[in-house]
């Protein structure tokens, strides 16, 4: 027997929502951050983070998911660079982010000349972008900084110091989860502008653009732009002691979100046994109510009720048990899969009629849900011949 699951999957550019099913207290969530865009010459963007976590959830609440797409490419700029990937996140209905996977930064654009310095790969999630290549005339732009959970990444430093117009740094990344800053390309033609900072825990920034070779005769090349830094990841609200991890640089493709919420179930097999204690002083029968957990999940709580012969009242109850005339009710705490918990009580023989004496135990409540009602009750019957003679199975 295995627990059933409710799963929601959103691919790149998608959104979705999920109402947490009844009896569910945690959910297994896997996020893959979106990759950054490639540069005009095909240099790849950075990789998004792979995030796995067990989130604490409340039945009946709604969770929303949004999955950003892989970054595109800036157009209309010399040495076109790649854009960072979009936000991949899980939020509650109020918009509070519970889990995000950082995205990759865009690749830096190539230098514009023949031959040209190639573009610069984008920074992986959580990492700053790299500076672009260049030479003494066409320097490479600096890489953009990585975004964090509290701020966007810093813009990369532009190349071309001492030239007119001067160097152009990349803009810082927006926070908390907008796209990274865009370039300001009004720079000295021979240098690459700086890469854009990655957004806060969301998308990576855009890569910087490549410079242009303006040396007569084309003997030198324009510098490549620095790449954008990746966005960071956030893990919040995880179940204490549960596995959670963030691994950067494992996904170069589009974002993907999967919610798997196991509907926990635990089958309680009820057992009742009896044992006579005879003699001339207060003879009694001892009954034991046992809750066996046959799984597949752990029992968090359970209640078993014993029905006594008419007019009987129990004594010497185990902790957690109460009695009224004709019944005993026992509360049980956590019971691991494959384990059991037992509670007992006594029924004095002088309160009973001679003959068959039956006590039936029934599961009246438990959490999580019990998938099998066939074993929810059991009966033990003793034969009482006299106050000094009783036979129990």
């Amino acid at each position: 027997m295995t627990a059933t699951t409710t799963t929601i999957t959103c691919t790149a550019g998608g959104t979705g929502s999920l109402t947490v099913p009844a009896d569910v207290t945690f959910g297994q969530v896997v996020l893959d951050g979106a990759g950054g865009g490639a540069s005009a010459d095909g240099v790849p963007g950075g990789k998004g983070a792979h995030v796995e976590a067990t989130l604490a959830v409340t039945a009946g609440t709604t969770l929303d998911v949004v999955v950003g797409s892989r970054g595109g490419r800036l157009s209309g700029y010399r040495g076109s660079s790649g854009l960072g990937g979009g936000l991949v996140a899980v939020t509650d209905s109020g918009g509070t982010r519970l889990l995000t996977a950082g995205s990759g930064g865009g690749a830096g654009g190539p230098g514009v000349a023949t031959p040209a310095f190639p573009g610069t790969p984008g920074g992986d999630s959580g990492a700053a972008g790299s500076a672009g290549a260049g030479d003494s005339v066409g320097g490479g732009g600096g890489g953009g900084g990585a975004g964090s959970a509290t701020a966007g990444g810093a813009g990369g430093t532009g190349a071309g110091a001492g030239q007119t117009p001067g160097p152009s740094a990349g803009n810082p990344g927006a926070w908390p989860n907008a796209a990274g800053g865009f370039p300001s390309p009004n720079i000295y033609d021979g240098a690459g502008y700086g890469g854009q900072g990655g957004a806060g825990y969301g998308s990576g920034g855009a890569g910087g653009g490549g410079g242009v070779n303006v040396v007569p005769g084309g003997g030198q090349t324009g510098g490549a732009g620095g790449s954008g830094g990746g966005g960071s990841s956030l893990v919040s609200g995880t179940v204490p002691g549960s596995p959670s991890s963030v691994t950067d640089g494992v996904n170069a493709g589009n974002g993907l979100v999967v919610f798997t919420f196991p509907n926990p179930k635990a089958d309680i097999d009820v057992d009742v046994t009896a044992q006579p204690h005879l003699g001339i002083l207060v003879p009694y029968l001892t009954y034991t109510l046992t809750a066996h957990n046959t799984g597949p999940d752990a029992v968090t709580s359970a209640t078993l009720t014993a029905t006594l012969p008419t007019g009987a009242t129990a004594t010497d109850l185990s902790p957690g048990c109460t009695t009224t005339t004709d019944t005993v009710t026992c509360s049980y705490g956590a019971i691991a899969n494959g384990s059991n918990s037992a509670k007992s009580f006594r029924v004095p023989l002088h309160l009973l009629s001679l003959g068959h004496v039956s006590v039936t135990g029934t599961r009246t409540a438990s959490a999580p849900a019990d998938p099998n009602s066939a074993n929810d009750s059991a009966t033990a019957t003793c034969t009482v011949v006299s106050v000094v003679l009783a036979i129990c199975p």
Side-chain angles (χ1 to χ4, degrees):
M1 185 173 3
T2 57
T4 60
T5 61
T6 299
T7 302
I8 180 171
T9 302
C10 293
T11 54
T15 59
S17 63
L18 172 72
T19 299
V20 179
D23 299 321
V24 171
T25 58
F26 65 92
Q28 305 291 341
V29 183
V30 178
L31 304 184
D32 281 322
S39 63
D41 61 343
V43 174
K47 299 175 182 179
H50 176 80
V51 179
E52 297 185 13
T54 301
L55 295 183
V57 295
T58 302
T61 59
T62 299
L63 299 179
D64 297 318
V65 294
V66 59
V67 184
S69 297
R70 185 172 184 173
R73 182 182 304 146
L74 285 169
S75 59
Y77 296 105
R78 290 186 291 268
S80 295
S81 56
L83 293 169
L87 172 68
V88 179
V90 179
T91 69
D92 63 18
S93 56
T96 300
R97 282 165 293 277
L98 304 177
L99 191 69
T100 65
S103 304
V112 181
T114 304
F117 286 107
T120 309
D124 290 342
S125 172
S130 300
D135 56 25
S136 59
V137 175
S148 72
T150 57
T157 301
Q163 306 296 331
T164 302
S168 178
N171 296 325
W175 186 87
N177 53 27
F182 281 85
S184 300
N186 57 331
I187 61 171
Y188 169 62
D189 282 343
Y193 53 81
Q196 314 314 303
Y201 43 82
S203 59
V212 176
N213 179 9
V214 293
V215 177
Q220 295 175 301
T221 58
S227 64
S232 67
S233 298
L234 170 72
V235 178
S236 176
T238 55
V239 175
S242 67
S244 61
S245 63
V246 177
T247 303
D248 292 329
V250 297
N251 172 41
N254 294 323
L256 174 68
V257 177
V258 178
F259 276 108
T260 302
F261 289 94
N263 293 330
K265 297 185 183 298
D267 177 33
I268 294 179
D269 184 359
V270 177
D271 185 41
V272 181
T273 59
Q275 177 68 41
H277 295 267
L278 305 177
I280 60 173
L281 297 176
V282 194
Y284 56 87
L285 302 177
T286 296
Y287 287 91
T288 301
L289 290 176
T290 302
H292 298 271
N293 179 14
T294 64
D297 297 299
V299 169
T300 57
S301 64
T303 302
L304 270 57
T305 299
T307 303
L308 310 181
T310 302
T313 301
T315 62
D316 296 285
L317 284 74
S318 292
C321 296
T322 59
T323 185
T324 61
T325 301
D326 300 343
T327 64
V328 172
T329 300
C330 294
S331 298
Y332 298 76
I335 308 173
N337 180 15
S339 298
N340 61 75
S341 180
K343 296 181 182 291
S344 62
F345 55 89
R346 296 176 179 177
V347 178
L349 282 179
H350 67 270
L351 298 178
L352 304 175
S353 301
L354 300 182
H356 296 303
V357 178
S358 296
V359 170
T360 298
T362 303
R363 181 193 67 84
T364 51
S366 64
D370 188 317
N372 178 20
S373 61
N375 56 4
D376 281 1
S377 64
T379 300
T381 301
C382 295
T383 301
V384 178
V385 179
S386 69
V387 294
V388 293
L389 178 60
I391 301 171
C392 298

